[in-house]
Amino acid sequence: MAAPAGSATPAAPAKGSEAALAAALADVPELARLLEVDPYLKPFAEDFQRRYKKFSKILSDIGENEGGIDKFSRGYESFGIHRCADGGLYCKEWAPGAEGVFLTGDFNGWNPFSYPYKKLDYGKWELYIPPKQNKSVLVPHGSKLKVVITSKSGEILYRISPWAKYVAREGGNVNYDWICWDPEHPYKFKHSRPKKPKSVRIYESHVGISSHEGKIASYKHFTCNVLPRIKDLGYNCIQLMAIMEHAYYASFGYQITSFFAASSRYGTPEELKELVDTAHSMGITVLLDVVHSHASKNSEDGLNMFDGTDSCYFHSGPRGTHDLWDSKLFAYSNWEVLRFLLSNIRWWLEEYCFDGFRFDGVTSMLYHHHGMGQSFSGDYNEYFGLQVDEDALTYLMLANHLIHTLYPDSITIAEDVSGMPALCSPISQGGGGFDYRLAMAIPDKWIQLIKEFKDEDWNMGNIVYTLTNRRYLEKCIAYAESHDQALVGDKTLAFWLMDAEMYTNMSVLAPFTPVIDRGIQLHKMIRLITHALGGEGYLNFMGNEFGHPEWLDFPRKGNNESYHYARRQFHLTDDDLLRYKFLNNFDRDMNRLEERCGWLSAPQAFVSEKHEGNKIIAFERAGLLFIFNFHPNKSYTDYRVGTALPGKFKIVLDSDAAEYGGHQRLDHNTDFFSEALEHNGRHYSLLVYIPSRVALILQNVDLPN
């Protein structure tokens, strides 16, 4: 409404002014804390203010119109199909572009129009089918269904409900079928969720490739055979990929077709619940790799064109398509899309008892350019302004708010390559509310070094910079390699290091060739320095801990539908005659030592040395002294290393030990005494023998454990 003539409208504070800053600080409860930690964000205080106000407004609107986010996020309790207490069936869909909606299936002989839905406001449709006279089940467990949509152009479309809880592909069918999942004896969880771990050590896993056999492995197989390995290796968290149903197996689970359905190619929903429950019984936290950044463009068995229009859940026109991924992009500002996605989050938390999420494709969500063609130099202007999709960012804030309100011990991880400031800061500070972000620059650095530089040319300062370059108080998950580095077209670190010799010289009976020796020693060193220096959590992709050879490739036309590279050869590490066991042993003991000493949950390390000529890196974290000698052939006698602690030190982890495939050049009975001699900015120092290509951890034994 215009101001009356003669009256003055209060002017908004000028952008960047002290008044604007004061207004932002007044609106965002803990923004002052964020700006105190990073004063360079002050010019962008109004951006944080706008984001926080948008989040608060939607949360308030949800409260006003839906009775709160708790109720709003239970969409799966009314949408889809539901058996009523009286034996009838209640069905509900959101199809704003539809002319008519019907339910058909085995239960009515596939008559497409015998059960029409009634049109409600806001594009919603509902149907109630009364019970049979004999009270028998209207739509039995295991029977097939379809939603029939008549479009405004007169087309008759057969669709799977976006809320379908189980879909499966039968025989040689191309498309998935929607199947009623209503078992007589649903799985009942026996074990409580583990407490949130202080140090997160994540085993990134894919159920389908978890067997050495050339086939798709099952939930049962993973539960019985892989979970015990994960527990033995000292990981306290698993991140399950490719669980949300995806029609195309080779998409690695990133082209979702049914968001509420657990993938049927590995087994039943009850078997997935058993997997999660068994992990909980072992004290293992279970995260879901959730894909809300985009969706498959399938329409026959996906969300696309559900109501006959190109919009519905997605943006209409070019904005609704991701050019690089050839997939559909959600309209995050749409009320029903928010209901769908937030309910999806809650579904996986409540129905399957997941303990949190790794959000895929966050960079694509955060920016209208989706990160395509962007280098992200670190200039703060890249993270604010018109290029940011604040609707998507607000959705992520709402999702984190919901997750942490429902289950305060939940963990959320953002896959963001851009490094957006405050993404992992509390929402009350104007941040995104994530617990962690993936430190995505680290694996790229290791691949670059191995591919492009001789060992003697590795830059110690650059390695340390890459491992420590993270925002203060925003936690990172460090990793040397994940599934991304193992995909076809690339290779695992072990294969980059040892390549073809892995086929011939990994036997303990074969000569310890220079290539295999170098590969085994560097594989251990790279993993330990990443684990100890790179973040506040650690991630490993299944099999890479023991140097899994080759690469990862799913069955597809281009490889004659072969499963040869879509499997994990765990038997390699069980064979006592193969050297894979050495890498496996090291990974296990590294994790177990972290469990005991807790360096991931300790403050960032103090790096006392990064010597280019000697190729030595030394640092302290969690009361431990870490020493790395990356030199390919130089060993050092009586090498002085600085420490903050006086007293006696002992070796607690030595990559050169026999059980790790090392050369046993160090005597573990040796006591190292620090003296009050300042060195590299530390008040004390000690003398150590450091062989070439070795990683050591020393612990002060005078300190109480």
Side-chain angles (χ1 to χ4, degrees), residues 18-29:
E18 287 299 319
L21 177 60
L25 289 167
D27 282 338
V28 186

Side-chain angles (χ1 to χ4, degrees), residues 257 351 617:
T257 42
E351 184 70 13
I617 294 172

Side-chain angles (χ1 to χ4, degrees), residues 7 25 27 29 40 119 127 164 201 219 250 308 337 355 402 409 463 525 555 569 584 620 639 641 643 675:
S7 71
L25 289 167
D27 282 338
Y40 291 104
K119 191 171 187 177
L127 165 67
R201 299 181 301 277
Y219 294 125
V337 172
D355 304 299
L402 174 70
D409 275 356
I463 290 171
M525 295 178 71
Q569 301 178 62
N584 196 74
E620 290 168 285
Y639 196 94
V641 181
T643 174
E675 51 188 321

Side-chain angles (χ1 to χ4, degrees), residues 337-446:
V337 172
L338 284 179
R339 186 198 309 275
F340 180 78
L341 294 175
L342 290 171
S343 297
N344 190 235
I345 288 288
R346 185 165 193 157
W347 170 254
W348 293 105
L349 288 171
E350 302 273 10
E351 184 70 13
Y352 289 93
C353 290
F354 279 94
D355 304 299
F357 303 92
R358 177 260 201 192
F359 279 76
D360 177 67
V362 167
T363 307
S364 175
M365 296 174 73
L366 290 175
Y367 306 97
H368 292 296
H369 53 61
H370 306 300
M372 292 187 286
Q374 304 295 314
S375 58
F376 294 110
S377 65
D379 182 335
Y380 276 12
N381 289 294
E382 295 171 338
Y383 307 117
F384 302 95
L386 294 176
Q387 66 264 38
V388 177
D389 186 341
E390 294 196 346
D391 292 329
L393 178 53
T394 304
Y395 162 66
L396 291 170
M397 293 167 76
L398 288 164
N400 275 306
H401 170 77
L402 174 70
I403 293 162
H404 293 113
T405 301
L406 288 173
Y407 296 99
D409 275 356
S410 290
I411 294 169
T412 58
I413 302 169
E415 189 218 16
D416 170 41
V417 73
S418 77
M420 177 177 271
L423 189 63
C424 300
S425 297
I427 294 169
S428 57
Q429 295 180 8
F434 283 97
D435 295 300
Y436 298 90
R437 60 157 37 99
L438 291 176
M440 300 179 75
I442 296 174
D444 293 344
K445 174 55 62 180
W446 291 124

